[in-house]
Amino acid sequence: IELEETDWVIIRLALSVIATVLFIGLFLNSLLFITTLRSSNLRSTCNILIGWCSLFDVIHQVTEDYFLRSAFPLVFSVCSASG
């Protein structure tokens, strides 16, 4: 496949946006999990489940889809715990 220069620019731009979103997601999810662990105000069931969801999201971003299936029960638990 031969690509023109504008195609390469678009590909580089798209990859940089994807990488930026990935690193922001990793940073913020990690920060949420660490904050949940360290803060004594966030010891409710709902907050702990949200922290675990963020941890599974970090693991999912750097590994395969296996850990995504582990987060689904936690998401449903958060919904039932907060309702």
Side-chain angles (χ1 to χ4, degrees):
I1 298 176
E2 292 185 28
L3 298 174
E4 295 180 14
E5 185 63 32
T6 56
D7 296 333
W8 284 110
V9 170
I10 292 171
I11 291 171
R12 286 185 190 116
L13 180 65
L15 287 176
S16 64
V17 168
I18 291 170
T20 303
V21 169
L22 173 77
F23 288 121
I24 290 172
L26 286 172
F27 175 72
L28 292 177
N29 279 317
S30 300
L31 188 63
L32 177 64
F33 181 70
I34 291 168
T35 303
T36 304
L37 284 179
R38 300 189 106 195
S39 177
S40 61
N41 294 334
L42 298 176
R43 298 294 178 179
S44 70
T45 305
C46 188
N47 289 332
I48 291 172
L49 290 172
I50 290 170
W52 279 109
C53 283
S54 67
L55 175 68
F56 281 124
D57 194 24
V58 167
I59 294 171
H60 173 259
Q61 285 179 331
V62 296
T63 62
E64 297 293 322
D65 289 339
Y66 171 74
F67 288 101
L68 180 64
R69 287 178 254 149
S70 303
F72 282 138
L74 290 174
V75 172
F76 292 126
S77 298
V78 170
C79 294
S80 64
S82 61

